[in-house]
Amino acid sequence: MKAGDVAYFRAQSVSDAVAAFRSCEGDARYLAGGQSLLAAMNLRLLTPDLLIDIAHIDALRGIERRGGEIRIGALTRHAEILSSPIIASHVPLLAAAAPWVAHPAIRNKGTIGGSIAFADPASEFPAVALALNARIELDNGDSVRFVEAQDFFLDLYETAAEPGEILSAVWFPVATPDQRCTFDELARRRGDYAIVGVAIVADFSGEIVDRIRIVFFSVGSTPVRALRAEAALTGTALVDTDIELAQQALAGDLSPSDDVQVSAATRMHLASVLLRRQLGKLPVPTPKAVRA
Amino acid sequence: MTIDITVTINGRLYRASVEPRLLLSDFLRDTLGLTGTHVGCEHGVCGACTVIIDGDSVRSCLTLAVRADGATITTVEGLGTPEQLNALQHQFRECHGLQCGFCTPGMLMTGMDLLKKYPLATDDQIREGLSGNLCRCTGYQNIVAAIRAAAALRNETTP
């Protein structure tokens, strides 16, 4: 199948793009890397009247440290995230997730802003944003506002962005020395959408978990925090019995559904397996007494 | 609505007026007659349509032709010729890295990108790099072997 007829406008600035959006009487879409949007258009799942190309807006580029955060411009491609030393050292969870996003040719075009704005519940970056509670920067051409990731993903492909707002950047908190993270997913083929995946970030005091955030993806209409499992693990040293309790708690956190790949029960089982496996891989800080 | 574009493909300059919805894959095949690039799934899954745009492997079915304006593109026609295959194509022949040939253009263009950017020291790296390209004939073994052989030759010739 081929994409439906569509008009095209190349925007030179955010205000330029927003003006085009507002003056369009039909369905307008912002086009960044296009790796989800064009696939959906080719399948005629989406038939926009106007594509507003935002890929030439320089203000949407760049990776830089701003205080205690790393600001990643919306047009930053997945391949750039994979090779960025700033992200490797300051947002290690994002760096760990990037190799799992699609395939090399798609990572060469796909952008972080597009991935988060599209809010596919099976995508990696929305889950990472939620795990780190990143701040989503939204620009309406006149002013900029921020929405925390935990308030951003509302439902299937539905976000807190207002019509016309452009997701202009994502702000991730800089990882602290006592923070550890891990990321993994299970898929039929490397790079395909996950059957189930998990992003975990934990702050330790010595070997005790002070705070942990566990986010599963591909298990519901948005990325999902496993709040009960987090509670079961907070204040523990992640020994086997703690992890077992967290696995049991997962039943109250997730309610996945059947799809063409696997049943809900299999998906739930795999989520539990992933949780145990990844908590086991979380590199727990060495106790100070041993280090000395 | 049509838009004028100028694109350099395999060293040759093309000017055309295209509809915004026209995919780069269809522009190459139908408008320019460069049918070496194959179209499989048209939603980014099979990798048959992979071309190199400004130095990166890209799905031409997930790229609008209008967005290729000003770009430099290499397709499979820009590699070797039947009389003089390039090094990777030669290894595909030596290793029997193709059967029906449908996936081959995408495999070659992906392989060119992998050879340029990655050490490819292990088969795992090669397989991960090829994970976005489907082949329904070979079982992949000989495609991996062809890229392994090309990587070994590359390492011998580049100090």
Side-chain angles (χ1 to χ4, degrees):
Chain A
M1 209 185 300
K2 305 291 177 189
D5 198 16
V6 66
Y8 172 89
F9 173 71
R10 181 183 288 183
Q12 302 300 332
S13 67
V14 170
S15 51
D16 204 20
V18 174
F21 188 97
R22 297 211 192 288
S23 63
C24 176
E25 286 173 6
D27 178 24
R29 290 263 171 179
Y30 295 123
L31 178 63
Q35 301 301 283
S36 299
L37 181 52
L38 286 181
M41 285 174 62
N42 288 348
L43 296 166
R44 298 220 183 182
L45 297 171
L46 292 173
T47 50
D49 301 291
L50 172 64
L51 286 177
I52 302 167
D53 190 342
I54 60 170
H56 299 270
I57 303 175
D58 284 339
L60 303 179
R61 296 191 182 284
I63 301 171
E64 55 187 324
R65 183 165 182 161
R66 300 254 186 111
E69 290 171 291
I70 304 296
R71 180 186 188 273
I72 303 179
L75 290 177
T76 305
R77 297 173 301 133
H78 308 328
E80 294 174 82
I81 285 175
L82 256 177
S83 62
S84 161
I86 298 179
I87 290 174
S89 52
H90 295 311
V91 199
L93 183 61
L94 189 65
W100 295 98
V101 181
H103 311 288
I106 289 173
R107 294 200 293 262
N108 284 336
K109 274 282 184 186
T111 67
I112 189 168
S115 172
I116 288 179
F118 201 65
D120 190 309
S123 289
E124 291 81 1
F125 288 165
V128 171
L130 182 58
L132 297 173
N133 201 23
R135 295 193 304 146
I136 314 296
E137 183 189 298
L138 299 166
D139 191 335
N140 69 2
D142 297 321
S143 59
V144 163
R145 70 179 178 114
F146 291 90
V147 178
E148 290 186 1
Q150 60 193 13
D151 301 319
F152 186 73
F153 302 105
L154 302 180
D155 206 337
L156 191 64
Y157 304 118
E158 193 183 327
T159 71
E162 298 290 337
E165 276 185 324
I166 290 180
L167 193 162
S168 44
V170 189
W171 297 61
F172 288 94
V174 168
T176 61
D178 294 323
Q179 197 171 78
R180 299 291 180 271
C181 65
T182 180
F183 185 97
D184 199 9
E185 68 179 50
L186 300 170
R188 294 282 297 272
R189 175 180 71 147
R190 173 84 191 207
D192 282 356
Y193 282 118
I195 295 168
V196 56
V198 69
I200 303 176
V201 58
D203 294 298
F204 286 87
S205 283
E207 55 189 336
I208 303 298
V209 173
D210 263 348
R211 209 172 62 97
I212 186 166
R213 286 172 72 102
I214 303 170
V215 174
F216 282 91
F217 56 99
S218 219
V219 294
S221 57
T222 64
V224 180
R225 259 183 87 181
L227 293 166
R228 290 174 181 82
E230 290 176 9
L233 295 166
T234 305
T236 74
L238 298 182
V239 297
D240 286 351
T241 47
D242 304 323
I243 293 176
E244 275 166 33
L245 285 174
Q247 284 181 287
Q248 288 163 22
L250 218 48
D253 285 322
L254 308 180
S255 49
S257 44
D258 297 326
D259 68 11
V260 290
Q261 293 202 79
V262 294
S263 68
T266 301
R267 187 168 263 125
M268 194 68 211
H269 171 73
L270 293 175
S272 175
V273 169
L274 259 192
L275 181 65
R276 185 183 64 224
R277 200 185 277 173
Q278 291 313 107
L279 287 172
K281 281 185 188 166
L282 211 57
V284 177
T286 323
K288 285 197 173 67
V290 176
R291 220 188 292 158
Chain B
M1 177 182 193
T2 60
I3 294 171
D4 294 336
I5 60 169
T6 306
V7 198
T8 305
I9 302 168
N10 304 328
R12 188 174 154 191
L13 197 69
Y14 294 87
R15 286 194 183 82
S17 191
V18 298
E19 273 190 89
R21 67 169 172 167
L22 184 68
L23 299 174
L24 178 61
S25 46
D26 292 332
F27 175 67
L28 291 170
R29 290 178 56 83
D30 302 340
T31 311
L32 303 183
L34 295 169
T35 53
T37 299
H38 290 174
V39 173
C41 70
E42 290 200 314
H43 60 282
V45 174
C46 78
C49 70
T50 306
V51 299
I52 308 274
I53 304 181
D54 294 332
D56 290 321
S57 61
V58 168
R59 299 280 201 251
S60 63
C61 80
L62 295 184
T63 306
L64 295 174
V66 287
R67 299 186 101 191
D69 186 28
T72 299
I73 298 175
T74 307
T75 68
V76 70
E77 289 94 339
L79 300 183
T81 62
E83 296 73 32
Q84 191 157 14
L85 299 177
N86 87 350
L88 182 59
Q89 289 171 314
H90 181 72
Q91 291 307 325
F92 267 67
R93 184 168 70 185
E94 287 296 303
C95 301
H96 195 56
L98 66 153
Q99 288 181 33
C100 87
F102 189 85
C103 73
T104 311
M107 290 288 179
L108 287 168
M109 301 321 284
T110 301
M112 293 300 292
D113 198 29
L114 295 176
L115 285 166
K116 193 181 82 183
K117 293 180 183 170
Y118 302 101
L120 304 180
T122 65
D123 279 6
D124 277 355
Q125 286 178 343
I126 296 171
R127 287 175 183 279
E128 195 183 323
L130 287 176
S131 66
N133 292 68
L134 293 178
C135 172
R136 295 283 132 130
C137 306
T138 64
Y140 302 98
Q141 304 295 338
N142 291 343
I143 297 173
V144 173
I147 293 180
R148 189 198 302 133
L153 269 172
R154 172 200 64 182
N155 295 345
E156 276 174 26
T157 51
T158 45

